[in-house]
Amino acid sequence: RKEVEQDPGPFNVPEGATVAFNCTYSNSASQSFFWYRQDCRKEPKLLMSVYSSGNEDGRFTAQLNRASQYISLLIRDSKLSDSATYLCVVSERGNTPLVFGKGTRLSVIA
Amino acid sequence: GAGVSQSPSNKVTEKGKDVELRCDPISGHTALYWYRQRLGQGLEFLIYFQGNSAPDKSGLPSDRFSAERTGESVSTLTIQRTQQEDSAVYLCASSLNGQTFFGQGTRLTVV
């Protein structure tokens, strides 16, 4: 199965900081892209889908570069509650198995 | 139900025993997935069901693992002759139109 690679971190940042996560994927047939969030000992939950034109949801901005097979997530004005593991996820098309990166751990410190 | 439901939430079993894990997907979701997550590791794909199509079993690690799904409802994951390396959280997810939701998982400990 094709891979999704992420920097495992941890990223330790102060409250209010801006932090960026990167992800690369190897399957050029990938069509759907997501960022999931996983809190300690909890199930993954969808944070946001990633669209070709880039998209923003409040403090979170996701970008996709298909040519480089690269996805990013930017978090502005970090909150303590943003502390979690962020999973980069791709699939070939809707309703095909999601392929997960191993995640990047973020700790936001007061 | 409102979300994906898995049972049991925790299971401790002796090495060599068989275990059966259950997943109730969100009603109407045609796709169902099983993943495994070892402590401190990423999610490892196991098996995928989509409607009436043949399941994608490419992620099953050995022939001790099998899964079934009844129509578009309940799925069971069976692990035969459990080994200590099977200890992990087993996560079920269901999906419709690209929106995927996970259950809270079954934490399996093989002693």
Side-chain angles (χ1 to χ4, degrees):
Chain A
R1 189 161 292 273
K2 303 300 178 68
E3 291 188 352
V4 176
E5 296 193 8
Q6 298 181 247
D7 181 340
F11 284 55
N12 299 314
V13 303
E15 275 186 290
T18 295
V19 60
F21 304 137
N22 302 320
C23 164
T24 58
Y25 60 95
S26 60
N27 183 0
S28 59
S30 298
Q31 294 293 328
S32 299
F33 309 91
F34 310 92
W35 284 100
Y36 275 69
R37 169 190 171 133
Q38 187 172 27
D39 291 284
C40 187
R41 299 177 76 87
K42 298 287 189 182
E43 75 276 19
K45 293 185 178 178
L46 178 66
L47 177 65
M48 58 195 303
S49 300
V50 186
Y51 302 116
S52 296
S53 56
N55 49 298
E56 187 174 305
D57 183 0
R59 297 181 293 108
F60 299 83
T61 301
Q63 293 195 317
L64 168 66
N65 183 324
R66 286 184 184 269
S68 301
Q69 295 183 196
Y70 169 96
I71 306 163
S72 67
L73 176 68
L74 184 77
I75 305 176
R76 292 182 299 279
D77 189 22
S78 300
K79 311 291 185 191
L80 293 175
S81 57
D82 294 334
S83 297
T85 297
Y86 290 83
L87 304 169
C88 179
V89 185
V90 306
S91 71
E92 288 190 13
R93 61 188 183 279
N95 285 356
T96 55
L98 300 177
V99 181
F100 285 78
K102 288 185 172 15
T104 299
R105 187 172 164 196
L106 172 67
S107 292
V108 181
I109 303 161
Chain B
V4 178
S5 177
Q6 292 188 244
S7 61
S9 54
N10 283 282
K11 175 72 176 178
V12 180
T13 190
E14 291 181 352
K15 179 180 172 181
K17 300 283 190 184
D18 298 352
V19 295
E20 193 171 275
L21 313 180
R22 177 187 170 108
C23 173
D24 285 88
I26 294 172
S27 178
H29 279 199
T30 56
L32 185 147
Y33 316 82
W34 284 97
Y35 289 86
R36 175 170 72 179
Q37 188 172 32
R38 292 193 169 109
L39 186 65
Q41 302 297 310
L43 273 75
E44 177 186 4
F45 167 74
L46 297 178
I47 188 168
Y48 160 61
F49 297 90
Q50 171 61 56
N52 295 320
S53 302
D56 176 354
K57 302 180 181 180
S58 60
L60 294 178
S62 77
D63 60 7
R64 297 187 295 106
F65 288 73
S66 63
E68 293 184 350
R69 186 181 188 191
T70 307
E72 292 187 352
S73 61
V74 173
S75 176
T76 54
L77 176 69
T78 301
I79 308 173
Q80 296 179 308
R81 304 182 302 282
T82 52
Q83 304 294 315
Q84 287 187 330
E85 64 262 27
D86 298 335
S87 296
V89 176
Y90 290 81
L91 289 157
C92 175
S94 70
S95 177
L96 181 66
N97 297 331
Q99 296 288 314
T100 302
F101 299 89
F102 281 83
Q104 293 187 325
T106 294
R107 184 173 301 276
L108 176 66
T109 304
V110 182
V111 298

